[in-house]
Amino acid sequence: MNKEEILKMAQKENCDEMALQVRDRAMKWTYLAMVIAAAIFAEIRAMNDQPMMDLCVTVCASVAVGQFYRFAKTKEKSCLIFGIITFAVGIFALIRFCMGH
């Protein structure tokens, strides 16, 4: 296979590596912003004696789904482990939320 054939195959794939990297980094920043915002709102709600576990459930569910998706596509064990951990924390927070905490 020569250079021209390889180039044609790469162009047919229509997969832009830079776009994929930008999307992946954007998701990481989205996770970070979501966690920070939820932490700030949880602290404000806790100071006012309001329940805050719903924020934890929301964040954990979002992160767990993202990690399970990444594991399904890449088979990286770290994604599976992180997904399971955040799912478990989310279940714990959901139970606490349902109990009124």
Side-chain angles (χ1 to χ4, degrees):
M1 192 177 277
N2 62 28
K3 290 182 193 179
E4 293 163 5
E5 290 174 354
I6 294 172
L7 180 60
K8 286 181 184 179
M9 286 177 54
Q11 289 173 343
K12 284 181 184 177
E13 288 179 6
N14 201 16
C15 181
D16 186 5
E17 288 293 321
M18 186 174 137
L20 291 174
Q21 285 183 349
V22 168
R23 187 191 70 210
D24 289 346
R25 287 185 182 154
M27 285 305 299
K28 288 178 185 177
W29 284 107
T30 300
Y31 281 159
L32 182 62
M34 181 176 50
V35 168
I36 290 171
I40 291 169
F41 287 119
E43 183 62 29
I44 291 169
R45 290 170 80 174
M47 290 178 358
N48 293 320
D49 292 327
Q50 296 175 341
M52 59 163 190
M53 285 294 139
D54 58 325
L55 293 171
C56 184
V57 174
T58 303
V59 170
C60 287
S62 299
V63 173
V65 167
Q67 291 301 312
F68 288 140
Y69 178 80
R70 283 184 60 197
F71 172 73
K73 294 296 182 183
T74 66
K75 303 298 184 217
E76 291 180 28
K77 289 185 181 182
S78 62
C79 294
L80 178 62
I81 292 168
F82 194 58
I84 291 170
I85 290 169
T86 54
F87 181 75
V89 171
I91 294 296
F92 176 75
L94 179 62
I95 292 168
R96 302 248 323 153
F97 176 73
C98 292
M99 293 173 55
H101 295 285

